[in-house]
Amino acid sequence: MTDPQNTLPQPSDNLPFLHCFRAGLTALGIGLLLVATPITASADSEEIRLPELGDSSSGLVSRKREKELGQMWLRIFRSQVRTSNDALLQQYVEKTVKGLAEYSPLEDKHIDVVVVNNETMNAFAVPGGIMGVHTGLFLFAKNEDQFASVIAHELGHLSQRHYARSLEAQRNSTIPTLAGMLGALVIAATAGGDAGLAAITATQAAALDSQLRFSRKNEQEADRVGIETLAKSGRDPDAAGEVFEQMLKATRYYRRPPEFLLTHPVTEKRIADAKLRSQRMDDIPPSDSRDFHLMRARIRLATEPTPQQAIKRFQAELGGINDSEDAARYGLALAQIAAGKPDTALDTLQPLLDREPSKAAFVLARADIDLVREDYTSANRRLEHALDRNPGDHALIMGLANAHFKAGNYLAAERILAKYSRVRKKDPSVWYLLAETHGLAGDIVGVHEARAEYYILNGVFDKALQHLRHGVRMTKNDYQTHAILEQRMKDVIKMQEKAKEL
């Protein structure tokens, strides 16, 4: 059976936003109109006009306003970009961002994380506490400290409110808008710099690029705050200078530099400043995390054309030079599972399980072997025991729900996901799998309710309302559920109206 976690509807490669630019520059910048295309690409999708972050008369935008606009931005971004459905990877990035945010000067340390399936090296932050990380950042960074240094830099922009402050500094020139940011980041996250920018005119490309650029002073401030955050979190502050140095080398030896450089230009002076700043701090020895390399192995598997080619790659690493022998072994086991070779995969994975039988990444891989063998009882039992030891683990919860789903235990999967959806309300993958499970368990009202929440999180309010209306019609004799769905309809109508006003 196909894994429902890996079959979430994805946006079309023919992005509709490219032909929706508003012509001309105004005193308030490029007003970019984007269509929040439903993930199922229906013809009756609504146009949502993204708001400007502020205006020349309002001064610094409030934090509450930033949060509101950031959530709208995130919904529409999800509808346009291929995001990761890998629960283990999502959990790792969220944990890393949260750990760094605790040591940053951010007032609101809650960050919504979106992982973008794209091999380009990029990360970004959006007003209102949104952090985006391209999977390519894992392939570019050599260790976890370097990976963390890029995230810490973006947290620096958020903590210093560079987006909002730029409104004051640029009253009489192009003011950045969330719409412009969305357009630029969607281009970067889909076609990449060269191909994406070639799809629009030079004037539009330059304008979009400017939406993401900060002043030299802003960049210096984000560097300073980011390096301090790294050091406070116990990570090597030298990692920031190392990453910058690698980026500068990439501009010399590669046809196209890392995507991150398009909006964060690096110079020799900036590298020197970062190194000097880190040298003034207490010595923190470089550290590395095996978990970083395990996640890197998952991404590298996904980038190979076939599981067979991935097997060859990881076998070569396991028998030769590698950054982490455990990661090479883990990647090989995953590739063998993907190739339909469960027995060989178990032989490869077993040494890792012998040493760490409770580690979630290894337990999930072992359960996947059971699922390939169609030994659903063993897979479910294994995951349940792991959850007893690691209650609340996101990857294990989703893994167990998925295992029950594949086994045809739809009621069991439904119970897990219905409960979890109340904890993880803003995760589209939870709502999507819950809708699928409700359908197979025979709960049609539940299907409409879960699908509505899924579409709300993707900014497709017309589709959300369609499902809620169906649910309302079907629950006339169930007063409580009927009232809940009617209230949710009112909530969505308000969201829809607010989106049009913004």
Side-chain angles (χ1 to χ4, degrees):
M1 183 183 293
T2 303
D3 185 348
Q5 289 192 70
N6 294 325
T7 55
L8 289 174
Q10 293 289 357
S12 168
D13 290 333
N14 298 316
L15 291 169
F17 79 93
L18 285 174
H19 55 258
C20 294
F21 288 102
R22 273 191 277 164
L25 292 171
T26 69
L28 294 180
I30 297 291
L32 177 61
L33 179 65
L34 290 134
V35 179
T37 305
I39 304 232
T40 50
S42 75
D44 58 346
S45 61
E46 294 207 355
E47 291 185 346
I48 298 179
R49 189 179 299 277
L50 271 175
E52 291 184 351
L53 185 57
D55 58 56
S56 57
S57 62
S58 64
L60 199 65
V61 69
S62 70
R63 296 180 191 277
K64 181 181 178 182
R65 181 70 166 164
E66 276 190 346
K67 198 78 176 175
E68 181 181 288
L69 300 182
Q71 289 300 308
M72 180 63 70
W73 185 98
L74 178 57
R75 290 184 185 119
I76 298 175
F77 182 79
R78 283 190 183 125
S79 76
Q80 300 287 347
V81 169
R82 294 183 183 276
T83 56
S84 172
N85 301 313
D86 185 331
L88 200 60
L89 180 63
Q90 180 74 27
Q91 180 171 255
Y92 171 84
V93 178
E94 286 180 3
K95 183 179 178 182
T96 303
V97 172
K98 182 180 179 181
L100 288 164
E102 288 300 318
Y103 294 94
S104 80
L106 275 167
E107 185 174 293
D108 181 357
K109 298 184 186 296
H110 176 76
I111 304 291
D112 287 309
V113 175
V114 56
V115 179
V116 179
N117 270 336
N118 190 288
E119 293 177 38
T120 57
M121 184 274 175
N122 203 13
F124 56 85
V126 175
I130 311 297
M131 174 71 70
V133 175
H134 285 207
T135 52
L137 179 56
F138 283 88
L139 304 178
F140 186 89
K142 296 185 182 301
N143 55 52
E144 189 176 65
D145 283 354
Q146 290 186 6
F147 175 81
S149 74
V150 176
I151 293 174
H153 176 90
E154 294 302 318
L155 289 173
H157 282 306
L158 283 181
S159 69
Q160 302 308 300
R161 303 192 71 205
H162 288 155
Y163 302 92
R165 284 165 55 189
S166 66
L167 300 182
E168 283 293 302
Q170 301 181 37
R171 279 177 181 267
N172 298 316
S173 61
T174 304
I175 296 175
T177 63
L178 283 179
M181 290 177 63
L182 179 60
L185 289 168
V186 167
I187 289 172
T190 51
D194 288 347
L197 294 180
I200 58 178
T201 69
T203 301
Q204 290 167 334
L208 284 176
D209 185 45
S210 73
Q211 305 299 326
L212 297 177
R213 282 188 185 274
F214 293 106
S215 70
R216 183 178 299 177
K217 182 180 178 182
N218 289 157
E219 288 294 348
Q220 288 173 341
E221 193 169 38
D223 287 347
R224 173 183 62 79
V225 173
I227 290 170
E228 288 173 357
T229 298
L230 270 183
K232 288 176 182 176
S233 70
R235 301 178 188 276
D236 180 14
D238 290 336
E242 292 169 2
V243 166
F244 288 156
E245 203 161 29
Q246 287 169 222
M247 288 182 193
L248 193 59
K249 286 178 182 176
T251 65
R252 296 168 181 163
Y253 301 117
Y254 296 95
R255 186 176 65 86
R256 195 182 81 200
E259 210 71 47
F260 191 77
L261 277 189
L262 298 179
T263 50
H264 300 73
V266 173
T267 62
E268 294 282 5
K269 184 180 184 305
R270 189 172 178 185
I271 293 170
D273 288 346
K275 288 183 175 181
L276 182 61
R277 195 178 300 280
S278 64
Q279 286 168 9
R280 291 172 180 165
M281 298 180 171
D282 293 338
D283 251 355
I284 300 176
S287 63
D288 203 359
S289 160
R290 186 185 53 169
D291 283 345
F292 170 80
H293 292 287
L294 294 178
M295 296 306 105
R296 201 181 191 203
R298 295 179 72 85
I299 292 165
R300 289 167 67 196
L301 170 62
T303 63
E304 290 292 338
T306 66
Q308 289 72 23
Q309 285 173 270
I311 288 172
K312 290 179 182 177
R313 177 174 183 168
F314 286 119
Q315 280 176 334
E317 288 186 11
L318 194 57
I321 299 173
N322 57 65
D323 294 320
S324 165
E325 184 175 327
D326 283 357
R329 179 174 294 280
Y330 175 66
L332 177 58
L334 294 181
Q336 290 165 337
I337 293 169
K341 299 179 178 180
D343 296 340
T344 308
L346 182 56
D347 289 341
T348 302
L349 185 67
Q350 196 61 55
L352 299 175
L353 282 167
D354 289 342
R355 279 188 280 122
E356 294 177 88
S358 300
K359 187 167 183 62
F362 302 156
V363 172
L364 285 162
R366 181 64 183 88
D368 282 342
I369 291 171
D370 290 330
L371 294 176
V372 172
R373 290 171 165 172
E374 298 186 358
D375 185 357
Y376 302 117
T377 300
S378 294
N380 292 329
R381 185 175 62 244
R382 201 178 305 283
L383 291 166
E384 285 166 357
H385 289 167
L387 261 175
D388 287 341
R389 294 187 292 265
N390 302 282
D393 186 283
H394 171 57
L396 289 173
I397 290 171
M398 293 301 287
L400 179 59
N402 188 50
H404 278 304
F405 186 97
K406 286 187 171 183
N409 301 329
Y410 304 124
L411 291 176
E414 187 180 45
R415 281 193 297 272
I416 293 168
L417 291 165
K419 181 180 179 181
Y420 196 44
S421 68
R422 295 192 289 272
V423 175
R424 201 171 171 93
K425 297 178 181 178
K426 293 163 68 177
D427 191 328
S429 62
V430 173
W431 289 107
Y432 181 81
L433 187 55
L434 177 57
E436 294 292 289
T437 306
H438 275 320
L440 291 166
D443 182 357
I444 306 305
V445 172
V447 172
H448 291 303
E449 187 175 9
R451 284 243 185 253
E453 295 302 325
Y454 173 75
Y455 282 121
I456 290 168
L457 289 170
N458 284 284
V460 189
F461 301 124
D462 56 339
K463 285 292 182 184
L465 285 171
Q466 284 178 21
H467 283 284
L468 288 170
R469 288 187 187 108
H470 286 310
V472 166
R473 282 197 295 268
M474 295 177 69
T475 56
K476 288 180 179 178
N477 297 323
D478 180 348
Y479 174 78
Q480 185 176 5
T481 305
H482 187 82
I484 290 171
L485 293 177
E486 280 197 323
Q487 180 57 52
R488 195 57 174 149
M489 276 183 65
K490 292 176 184 177
D491 294 340
V492 175
I493 290 169
K494 284 181 181 178
M495 291 180 202
Q496 196 174 42
E497 290 172 350
K498 211 160 196 177
K500 291 176 181 177
E501 292 171 3
L502 293 171

